Amino acid sequence: MDSTSLMKTFKGERVPRITMATFKQQQVEDFYEIGEELGSGQFAIVKQCCERSSGRDFAAKFIKKRQSNASRRGVLREEIEREVNILQQIHHPNIVTLHDVFENKTDVVLILELVSGGELFDFLAQKESLSEEEATQFIKQILEGLQYLHVKNIAHFDLKPENIMLLDKNAPVPRIKLIDFGLAHKIAEGVEFKNIFGTPEFVAPEIVNYEPLGLEADMWLSGASPFLGETKQDTLGNISAMNYEFDDEFFGHTSELAKNFIRQLLEKDTKYVIDLLTYS
Ligand code: AMP
């Protein structure tokens, strides 16, 4: 992106400063053959594509641009730029990489590394059983990706089973890839950031309570959401009140060690949370 310039912070660290980014204005179809749909989000469709010059496969994420301030459909230009800017800063084996960005009247098209093993969720659903040892191989990779983001002060804010994908589901230990940086934010020191977003079952209490948000909100993880209520309001109430239990149906065979790990992640007081990632 030619309009991304670098500025120095007071710590001397060089960080990108975004003005109005310009993405490639050429037709994406001239450079990529667009194939079948891989998935979709609220305002995005992801399709497989093949780079004409190299023959390499990628995933093209077509993000609908919001056409006017009055409209509620589509994504604000500044939000798309934020997603792109964050993806450009990320190079980690457990996180999807960004290859290129195109733009036309209606969409911004992110050309992403193709993650072809599907969602971790589907992989686990198809397996008869998963040992704790196998689970730790996935958890470790998820935490390594997260640690990388958090060292860069980037919060993902939308970690959930659908956004944890596998590069190749047939590998002996499939490689995890975190995807979807649509809600991700760089957390600036001393700048308060509050927002209500995410997916009810998986959001942290500070999001439900509209309190200042930080990296800790990503450390609110468990397998099945133990907070799920009859309604969205019940679910959010359970999260805020820390009302949860390890249902025998899901956690009957789970060791105390694993439950303790989850308990430490389901910590309402955010000042204790970040240590878990830093020191464990
Ligand atoms: P997103 O809006 O980024 O969550 O993308 C919507 C859906 O498209 C995801 O839930 C995935 O099923 C699929 N998808 C997104 N990115 C990729 C990718 N890089 N490779 C393969 N599938 C993807």
Side-chain angles (χ1 to χ4, degrees):
M1 238 76 30
D2 26 30
S3 59
T4 306
S5 56
L6 287 170
M7 68 174 183
K8 277 199 167 181
T9 64
F10 64 96
K11 283 182 180 165
E13 183 196 10
R14 290 169 77 77
V15 295
R17 175 173 47 200
I18 288 280
T19 49
M20 175 79 174
T22 48
F23 307 126
K24 283 187 181 162
Q25 304 288 315
Q26 292 116 310
Q27 294 285 329
V28 64
E29 293 81 1
D30 290 346
F31 297 87
Y32 293 85
E33 191 182 324
I34 309 292
E36 61 170 38
E37 185 175 326
L38 297 167
S40 60
Q42 199 185 1
F43 297 119
I45 296 183
V46 181
K47 294 181 178 173
Q48 186 158 344
C49 65
C50 178
E51 189 174 35
R52 294 186 192 276
S53 63
S54 66
R56 285 165 65 199
D57 288 327
F58 291 92
K61 179 171 174 176
F62 293 78
I63 306 173
K64 274 269 160 288
K65 293 196 282 190
R66 187 170 293 188
Q67 294 299 339
S68 76
N69 285 344
S71 170
R72 293 175 138 254
R73 294 174 58 173
V75 184
L76 287 172
R77 167 96 196 176
E78 66 178 79
E79 287 174 7
I80 302 177
E81 285 181 20
R82 184 186 305 124
E83 179 170 355
V84 170
N85 180 242
I86 285 177
L87 279 165
Q88 283 177 321
Q89 298 172 45
I90 298 172
H91 303 280
H92 188 273
N94 296 118
I95 306 177
V96 71
T97 54
L98 179 67
H99 182 65
D100 216 341
V101 188
F102 289 80
E103 177 173 23
N104 59 34
K105 266 213 173 92
T106 55
D107 296 80
V108 172
V109 188
L110 313 190
I111 305 293
L112 297 158
E113 170 186 21
L114 178 65
V115 188
S116 39
E119 295 171 10
L120 174 65
F121 184 83
D122 294 326
F123 176 81
L124 297 180
Q126 278 158 21
K127 264 177 98 82
E128 297 244 307
S129 65
L130 182 81
S131 70
E132 252 176 59
E133 236 143 50
E134 287 174 288
T136 58
Q137 291 173 338
F138 292 127
I139 291 282
K140 183 166 183 280
Q141 295 185 67
I142 295 167
L143 293 180
E144 279 171 357
L146 260 189
Q147 187 172 36
Y148 173 86
L149 290 178
H150 288 183
V151 165
K152 289 181 170 294
N153 273 328
I154 295 168
H156 184 285
F157 285 142
D158 201 17
L159 278 179
K160 55 181 177 179
E162 294 92 315
N163 288 338
I164 302 173
M165 294 194 71
L166 300 177
L167 194 58
D168 174 5
K169 65 178 174 194
N170 298 316
V173 179
R175 168 106 67 87
I176 290 284
K177 290 274 179 185
L178 304 181
I179 63 156
D180 194 357
F181 284 74
L183 295 184
H185 275 74
K186 191 122 187 170
I187 305 295
E189 214 174 298
V191 180
E192 206 171 83
F193 172 62
K194 289 179 173 183
N195 212 333
I196 302 244
F197 52 25
T199 308
E201 289 144 78
F202 302 107
V203 295
E206 57 270 32
I207 295 178
V208 182
N209 296 332
Y210 198 60
E211 288 163 2
L213 304 182
L215 306 171
E216 306 85 13
D218 283 341
M219 300 306 295
W220 179 260
L221 304 169
S222 81
S225 173
F227 300 100
L228 195 58
E230 296 274 308
T231 63
K232 180 172 149 183
Q233 253 6 72
D234 287 348
T235 304
L236 296 178
N238 286 341
I239 293 172
S240 185
M242 286 291 292
N243 187 9
Y244 75 92
E245 51 187 48
F246 289 118
D247 194 328
D248 257 3
E249 190 192 339
F250 300 116
F251 295 96
H253 300 291
T254 307
S255 72
E256 267 314 300
L257 184 70
K259 283 192 212 164
N260 267 335
F261 175 70
I262 295 170
R263 279 188 198 105
Q264 288 179 69
L265 290 170
L266 298 180
E267 170 59 63
K268 192 170 178 181
D269 192 341
T270 54
K271 62 178 185 294
Y272 296 114
V273 179
I274 211 63
D275 293 346
L276 189 68
L277 193 60
T278 316
Y279 301 112
S280 63

